[in-house]
Amino acid sequence: MNYFTVDLNGYEAKLPILPLPSGVNIAFFNLHGNVEMTEHCGKELARLVAECDVLLTAESKGLQLTHVIARELGHKFYAVARKSKKLYMQDGIEVAIKSSITTGAEQKLYLSRHDAELLKGKKVGIIDDVVSTGNSLVGLERLVEIAGGQICKKAFVLAEGEAAQRKDICYLGVIPLL
């Protein structure tokens, strides 16, 4: 197997290169189960979003990362956009998003009423593991807008491909589309 090595502000990650059904290869980044890397990235990103009142992420790979950031910032709660509508979310908000580079299909993002209230009138930091096409980010931005929050920062561990040219985001490292 081939790998791509990336420096995440002092943490070296060796990412396997995997093919997507579209024919594009990606350097696959996975925080799930990697405590050391999640802790490192969370602490580094917390410095970049310190002025945010509340954080928002999408399930699932952003969850543990956002948990670390929220802990580092002393936040008691953070908001989670779910990819399926749960029973407790009947009075929440939802948005449809175009497919991301890894899912390949249109999706919806759901925010519970509780989480929408967390964002209302607050400076919101959007957190996720990787930004590539930006389609998932657009959905998260819409949720913040609908909930009445103000986007303060958009922070990622990695910017993939052309996303690294964006001026409205911050990140720890860059990976190419291969």
Side-chain angles (χ1 to χ4, degrees), residues 94-170:
E94 66 183 70
V95 296
I97 59 172
K98 294 180 184 176
S99 64
S100 71
I101 194 167
T102 53
T103 62
E106 184 177 271
Q107 292 183 302
K108 286 192 174 186
L109 292 176
Y110 303 90
L111 201 59
S112 71
R113 175 187 234 174
H114 172 267
D115 285 2
E117 288 295 321
L118 287 175
L119 306 181
K120 187 175 182 179
K122 300 287 184 5
K123 295 186 294 183
V124 180
I126 295 175
I127 308 295
D128 212 347
D129 62 334
V130 178
V131 61
S132 185
T133 63
N135 290 338
S136 297
L137 176 57
V138 168
L140 292 170
E141 290 171 325
R142 277 290 291 138
L143 287 173
V144 172
E145 179 183 319
I146 293 168
Q150 173 192 356
I151 297 169
C152 180
K153 290 279 186 164
K154 296 174 260 187
F156 304 87
V157 175
L158 293 167
E160 182 174 54
E162 292 181 12
Q165 306 307 313
R166 293 179 65 146
K167 303 296 184 211
D168 64 327
I169 64 171
C170 54

Side-chain angles (χ1 to χ4, degrees), residues 27-60:
F28 182 67
F29 181 69
N30 185 13
L31 286 172
H32 286 314
N34 191 328
V35 175
E36 183 179 66
M37 184 165 56
T38 301
E39 285 288 327
H40 173 82
C41 293
K43 288 175 181 177
E44 291 296 312
L45 287 175
R47 295 178 201 173
L48 301 177
V49 300
E51 68 271 25
C52 298
D53 299 322
V54 65
L55 305 174
L56 169 66
T57 193
E59 65 177 1
S60 73

